[in-house]
Amino acid sequence: MAKAAETPRSILAREWRVLKPLLWLGLAGCAILAVALAFRGVTGVARVPKPMQIHAQEALALDDIEFRELPGPPEGADPAFACTQVYEVRLKDPARSFSHDFTLNFSKDAPKDAAVARLDGKQWLRLDGEAAPQTGVSYRVQGRQPGVYALGQFQAAAPATPGEAGVARLREGKPEPVPGLTLRAWEGPRRVGEVVRLSLEGRLPEDLPEDEVRLLWFVGDSEDAVEDAMGREFAWVPSEKGTALIRFVGRTPDGTRLLQGELTLAVSE
């Protein structure tokens, strides 16, 4: 019995029976993918958090807050904190304040021993930040105080090295260097609360007998005496981190200033 010739309709019906299951599988796959993408969008997993996130119950409106990323630390900031990324948070009305903590998300790669700090005057104050291995975020910190915040690294204090400066003799108020006479800070730690030894080394000029320069002073930035004593070696205890200007002053018993010298020291934490 001869096989009936296939018509276009019969060919389409046969192909449809083969393709129909595949089409349903494709549609099911698309539906599952759409649901997954919608879920990620709702949960925020696929979104990159904004650099600054405001608490949902914050009393301030977005228009009350100024936020920007700075190209680097403000001028005069302590260079002991090497900044990787810097944010500034300001309020248009300084009399107002945040009612809840805000979150700052840093996106630059966190350096080794990374830290987050807020600028207080010229000094950086370390904050309790945390690494955040999230899409587009390397480190985050929470705060409520406006100001400059930065991701970076506190530099290790340089090893203490001897520092010295020349001493000048005053003649009619004008300084003249005294060859061979030196103001020196000895080797050792220069840290807050630890003793730094200072000394005056060399020989006094022959026309300036030692008995005439018995009152020796080392003074700090404010001209307040750090210590006064008879002799040539002094102990100085720094009270804060930064640079300290140590001035040596030699006076006669009647208060006439005869010698002076200055030495700048770096003090670490």
Side-chain angles (χ1 to χ4, degrees):
M1 183 175 181
K3 185 178 180 180
E6 288 188 313
T7 64
R9 178 174 295 183
S10 63
I11 294 173
L12 289 175
R14 177 163 49 82
E15 295 295 334
W16 172 249
R17 285 194 299 270
V18 175
L19 294 176
K20 187 176 181 180
L22 297 177
L23 180 60
W24 281 112
L25 287 175
L27 291 175
C30 292
I32 294 173
L33 180 61
V35 171
L37 293 176
F39 177 78
R40 289 170 66 89
V42 170
T43 58
V45 175
R47 297 178 181 175
V48 176
K50 294 181 179 180
M52 182 177 183
Q53 292 178 307
I54 309 300
H55 193 279
Q57 298 178 348
E58 174 58 52
L60 294 172
L62 290 178
D63 291 342
D64 298 326
I65 303 167
E66 293 181 340
F67 172 83
R68 62 174 178 155
E69 181 174 352
L70 302 180
E75 185 177 356
D78 185 359
F81 184 66
C83 299
T84 301
Q85 191 171 19
V86 185
Y87 292 148
E88 183 180 33
V89 180
R90 296 293 180 197
L91 295 179
K92 294 181 179 180
D93 183 358
R96 303 191 66 182
S97 60
F98 284 94
S99 62
H100 293 76
D101 289 345
F102 54 79
T103 300
L104 296 179
N105 295 308
F106 294 92
S107 58
K108 298 291 181 65
D109 291 338
K112 182 181 179 182
D113 301 327
V116 176
R118 178 175 57 80
L119 192 61
D120 183 18
K122 296 182 178 180
Q123 301 296 318
W124 292 99
L125 301 180
R126 185 187 294 268
L127 303 176
D128 293 329
E130 61 176 356
Q134 185 179 353
T135 303
V137 179
S138 60
Y139 225 80
R140 66 161 49 98
V141 68
Q142 289 187 325
R144 192 176 296 193
Q145 184 171 343
V148 176
Y149 293 76
L151 169 67
Q153 181 184 39
F154 283 97
Q155 303 295 317
T161 56
E164 59 183 40
V167 175
R169 179 179 181 179
L170 299 180
R171 293 182 183 272
E172 298 180 354
K174 297 181 180 180
E176 295 179 358
V178 179
L181 196 59
T182 305
L183 171 61
R184 183 177 186 184
W186 287 83
E187 298 90 337
R190 297 176 189 163
R191 298 179 180 276
V192 174
E194 298 189 21
V195 175
V196 177
R197 290 194 301 132
L198 301 164
S199 65
L200 183 65
E201 296 185 335
R203 299 188 60 178
L204 294 174
E206 294 183 357
D207 62 342
L208 189 62
E210 188 172 350
D211 289 344
E212 294 297 317
V213 186
R214 300 288 304 200
L215 185 60
L216 306 180
W217 298 74
F218 281 111
V219 297
D221 293 323
S222 63
E223 294 286 353
D224 294 331
V226 175
E227 180 178 343
D228 62 309
M230 306 297 285
R232 292 190 178 184
E233 185 171 308
F234 297 80
W236 174 65
V237 181
S239 60
E240 60 182 356
K241 176 185 175 182
T243 56
L245 178 62
I246 307 300
R247 294 189 178 97
F248 161 78
V249 178
R251 303 178 187 272
T252 61
D254 64 3
T256 303
R257 180 180 293 198
L258 297 178
L259 299 172
Q260 70 179 26
E262 294 184 353
L263 179 64
T264 300
L265 300 178
V267 180
S268 62
E269 292 180 324

